[in-house]
Amino acid sequence: MTFETPATRRVLVARPRGYCAGVDRAVQAVEKALELYGAPVYVRKQIVHNTHVVRTLEKRGAIFVEETEEVPEGAIVVFSAHGVSPAVHREAAERGLRTIDATCPLVTKVHNEARRFASQDYDILLIGHEGHEEVEGTAGEAPDHIRLVDGLGAVDTVEVKDPDRLVWLSQTTLSVDETTETVTRLKERFPNLIDPPSDDICYATQNRQVAVKEIAAEAQLVIVVGSQNSSNSKRLVEVALDHGADASHLVDDASFIRDEWLDGVTTVGVTSGASVPEDLVDGVLAHLAERGFADVEEVESVQESVRFALPHELRKDLRAGV
Ligand code: SF4
């Protein structure tokens, strides 16, 4: 197949993109557990929402399960970056499982806020997506106090105990703009609604959205590398469409790109979600280069230097040379 290659064809690559500190830590936790204790290491749910990462870890000896009851008694189980509810910790303890908790510290922060506000008898409006693992984990911290607000449509229907003792929290991977709008509408309905002490939408989600806005303003097409179940990746597609891109698609890897998407396009934007390894972006850039998009420019919007230490259970065994 031959492709037209006008000199004007270019690619703008957003920075920051790809792995965040929480994903890096969670993936390393499984890798280190496999090195330290040997296969199999069980992982409850996808360690991060990326099919390539999951398949790679499976090849190395990780076994992914949906629930702890599928893990043999006494085995090692890693909890994913999205966090788990206290009930899951209890079940694991009852079954004598050795747990490694790879919950992102920024998700743990939201859990702590939920517990604190619940202990002060606040109702908590949790803005997030129903059924998402992170939302289930956070809601499980204070089931009697948390009311889920899934999108703007839920603002008018959510019921609360006391409108004067109300706080909102959110999932860490939402659209910043959409969440701001949801909070504005909630405050119109509940004027005494209070804000959380700090942003729940994490630095990585925010930074990737800032970066995609910058490239979307100049690109007709924005390709977001990420899996369909990755919340932060899906938000990047929405943000790109809201900020100037004519089209935007979420792809697991280069093989999902359709040539017709490139018809008449001179500038393609590329970014990736927080759970996406960089080699998948490299594959997309190589695929585009073969189609005449060889002029690649990286557009840096924000510098990132956040890193998290490995889960304490692993650090202890690594120090002890287990
Ligand atoms: S996206 Fe944010 S909250 Fe989720 S793992 Fe990464 S840093 Fe943590």
Side-chain angles (χ1 to χ4, degrees):
M1 201 186 299
T2 55
F3 295 92
E4 255 187 276
T5 57
T8 49
R9 286 187 156 188
R10 63 178 184 150
V11 182
L12 301 177
V13 191
R15 188 184 183 91
R17 63 179 177 276
Y19 269 21
C20 60
V23 163
D24 192 36
R25 171 182 186 261
V27 174
Q28 273 199 53
V30 179
E31 290 172 346
K32 289 279 178 216
L34 285 164
E35 277 171 33
L36 268 178
Y37 314 116
V41 164
Y42 291 82
V43 183
R44 183 184 179 276
K45 310 277 186 191
Q46 291 194 346
I47 184 72
V48 298
H49 284 158
N50 186 273
T51 33
H52 285 270
V53 171
V54 168
R55 270 192 232 125
T56 305
L57 291 171
E58 270 174 344
K59 283 191 197 131
R60 297 180 59 178
I63 297 177
F64 290 86
V65 296
E66 278 305 299
E67 293 303 337
T68 44
E69 64 189 21
E70 297 165 57
V71 182
E73 290 201 7
I76 293 173
V77 63
V78 183
F79 292 146
S80 79
H82 307 102
V84 295
S85 69
V88 174
H89 280 287
R90 273 198 303 278
E91 280 159 25
E94 280 162 19
R95 292 178 55 73
L97 305 182
R98 292 168 64 192
T99 57
I100 297 170
D101 189 356
T103 302
C104 176
L106 300 180
V107 174
T108 302
K109 186 200 84 166
V110 183
H111 284 216
N112 294 341
E113 285 170 353
R115 275 203 308 276
R116 185 162 66 82
F117 283 111
S119 73
Q120 296 167 15
D121 207 24
Y122 276 85
D123 260 0
I124 299 161
L125 298 179
L126 177 61
I127 304 172
H129 297 297
E130 188 165 12
H132 189 279
E133 284 149 51
E134 182 188 320
V135 165
E136 287 175 355
T138 305
E141 291 286 355
D144 296 337
H145 290 264
I146 287 186
R147 318 273 174 248
L148 183 65
V149 179
D150 185 351
L152 276 173
V155 169
D156 297 330
T157 52
V158 66
E159 289 180 10
V160 301
K161 216 168 43 201
D162 179 356
D164 296 323
R165 206 158 176 76
L166 206 53
V167 62
W168 68 272
L169 300 178
S170 86
Q171 192 178 329
T172 56
T173 50
L174 300 181
S175 150
V176 174
D177 297 339
E178 201 180 301
T179 305
T180 304
E181 199 182 337
T182 305
V183 172
T184 303
R185 294 270 301 276
L186 282 169
K187 284 186 172 173
E188 283 165 13
R189 187 171 165 214
F190 304 113
N192 291 332
L193 175 67
I194 63 169
D195 297 323
S198 60
D199 278 344
D200 289 336
I201 298 179
C202 75
Y203 81 95
T205 300
Q206 297 195 30
N207 290 349
R208 278 150 194 70
Q209 288 175 17
V210 169
V212 81
K213 283 180 190 175
E214 204 163 325
I215 60 166
E218 293 191 49
Q220 293 102 353
L221 166 70
V222 172
I223 294 174
V224 178
V225 189
S227 290
Q228 292 296 334
N229 61 344
S230 163
S231 171
N232 80 86
S233 303
K234 283 167 90 169
R235 302 295 82 78
L236 290 175
V237 170
E238 294 164 4
V239 172
L241 290 171
D242 282 349
H243 287 82
D246 298 331
S248 181
H249 300 282
L250 184 61
V251 298
D252 254 303
D253 57 51
S255 69
F256 287 75
I257 298 173
R258 303 230 295 265
D259 284 332
E260 57 266 33
W261 296 349
L262 303 172
D263 283 349
V265 169
T266 53
T267 303
V268 180
V270 173
T271 189
S272 56
S275 46
V276 176
E278 188 61 10
D279 58 332
L280 298 176
V281 175
D282 293 341
V284 166
L285 295 180
H287 181 98
L288 290 172
E290 283 168 15
R291 285 150 180 80
F293 291 86
D295 174 7
V296 177
E297 185 190 334
E298 193 172 63
V299 181
E300 181 165 30
S301 310
V302 189
Q303 287 195 338
E304 274 183 0
S305 55
V306 179
R307 296 194 61 79
F308 296 133
L310 283 169
H312 68 92
E313 304 90 337
L314 275 170
R315 291 206 308 271
K316 193 160 58 74
D317 281 353
L318 281 166
R319 271 198 306 271
V322 169

